[in-house]
Amino acid sequence: MMTFLRLLAALGTGSLFGFGLALSGMVDAGRVRGFLDVAGAWDPSLAFVLAGAVGVALPGFRLARRFGRPLLEVCYDLPGQRRIDWRLVTGAVLFGVGWGLAGFCPGPAVAALSFVGTPALLFVAAMLAGMVLHDRLVAPRLAGRSAAGGQAGSLPGAAR
Amino acid sequence: MTAYLTALAGGLLIGLSATLLLVLNGRIAGISGIVAGALRRPGLLWLGNVCFAAGLFLGPPLYRLAFGAWPALRLEASPWLLVVAGLLVGFGTRLGAGCTSGHGVCGLARLSPRSMVAVGTFLGTAVLTVFLQHLLG
């Protein structure tokens, strides 16, 4: 029963997230690129998406911390990584370039699959390939190397 | 004006969704992590990721039910550019352990220093990329 509720919660929150992306204009790749075009015809409206989302999540997450545990799960699954290392920065650099080139980040791209078809499918297929390339080929090697250097366990994702 | 209000309203819903996912299931609403999790070996955690991703997919149809039209979407990139961008986004978000949602929304809400660095970095390179694209025409 708990499992069913958890899956229902995942589907429900996912739908709310997807609806929010559609309403906010974040799925509009052209508008996202307008938001990023600071030196040109800048459209600052999408800054309000992040402001609104963080404005709710900041007090929301504080509230969640007050409960000792989530309502449908045994414990919270939070990122344990603290270090700011080259992986974080290099990953963010590459992601930023890809985001700027197309105007899609992962959430809006998955949402766009439902109504734009082929172009979104091309992007998402390539995105999944990039994820698999990292998780299956690159991350295990990096983990091996940093384990030799005495930094085992500093890769989230890789150890699973 | 409307563009600002819908952006804000959509943002509020996104923040609400992230809060509910944490309060109910104890998970961070990081889309790149969830999508990558949906690619792993089938199991309960996997099914949860698939359900969330399916919900994302249902977002625009729900929008259409509510407003009678699909959300606006302009896509200027050529197919080749879409593939290159997709590869960079997929690889980069895994290496950097997050995207606009995980680092952007959830990380900033948790006041995580790692996420602040990530958001500053990817916003910076995204702005620079659009600038260079326009410069090179």
Side-chain angles (χ1 to χ4, degrees):
Chain A
M1 187 58 196
M2 217 49 165
T3 308
F4 174 73
L5 286 178
R6 226 180 286 154
L7 295 178
L8 198 65
L11 183 68
T13 51
S15 307
L16 186 61
F17 204 108
F19 184 85
L21 288 174
L23 179 63
S24 66
M26 276 298 288
V27 290
D28 187 346
R31 197 162 144 198
V32 169
R33 280 171 45 82
F35 169 66
L36 296 170
D37 193 9
V38 177
W42 189 38
D43 169 8
S45 61
L46 289 184
F48 283 72
V49 184
L50 189 63
V54 175
V56 172
L58 202 134
F61 283 20
R62 297 232 154 151
L63 193 74
R65 204 172 290 181
R66 292 250 179 110
F67 309 142
R69 44 169 283 196
L71 297 178
L72 305 175
E73 185 57 89
V74 190
C75 59
Y76 290 113
D77 180 12
L78 298 173
Q81 262 284 71
R82 290 285 162 103
R83 277 190 11 175
I84 294 166
D85 56 8
W86 69 268
R87 279 183 203 118
L88 179 82
V89 176
T90 313
V93 166
L94 296 178
F95 165 47
V97 173
W99 188 33
L101 283 177
F104 269 148
C105 54
V110 172
L113 275 180
S114 61
F115 69 109
V116 287
T118 317
L121 195 63
L122 268 181
F123 181 90
V124 171
M127 180 178 87
L128 296 182
M131 288 177 165
V132 169
L133 182 71
H134 174 270
D135 289 2
R136 305 257 163 96
L137 289 174
V138 179
R141 275 162 213 230
L142 288 175
R145 217 172 60 185
S146 56
Q151 302 165 352
S154 62
L155 248 192
R160 295 189 191 169
Chain B
M1 191 60 206
T2 328
Y4 286 84
L5 287 178
T6 51
L8 183 65
L12 294 174
L13 294 181
I14 291 168
L16 181 64
S17 159
T19 302
L20 286 173
L21 187 66
L22 186 69
V23 168
L24 294 171
N25 289 7
R27 302 276 319 264
I28 289 290
I31 310 299
S32 55
I34 287 174
V35 170
L39 293 173
R40 285 205 203 95
R41 207 169 306 163
L44 266 185
L45 210 60
W46 170 82
L47 201 55
N49 289 324
V50 171
C51 282
F52 190 94
L56 276 183
F57 181 85
L58 289 176
L62 287 172
Y63 177 94
R64 187 164 184 249
L65 268 180
F67 299 107
W70 294 109
L73 199 160
R74 285 160 296 146
L75 196 57
E76 301 137 357
S78 68
W80 275 113
L81 202 60
L82 282 172
V83 169
V84 172
L87 277 170
L88 286 167
V89 168
F91 190 90
T93 52
R94 292 307 291 154
L95 184 65
C99 58
T100 357
S101 51
H103 281 313
V105 176
C106 300
L108 294 186
R110 295 173 65 231
L111 303 176
S112 151
R114 260 173 68 83
S115 292
M116 292 176 194
V117 170
V119 172
T121 307
F122 66 63
L123 262 178
T125 52
V127 164
L128 192 66
T129 301
V130 172
F131 177 73
L132 288 176
Q133 260 181 314
H134 286 173
L135 199 69
L136 303 172

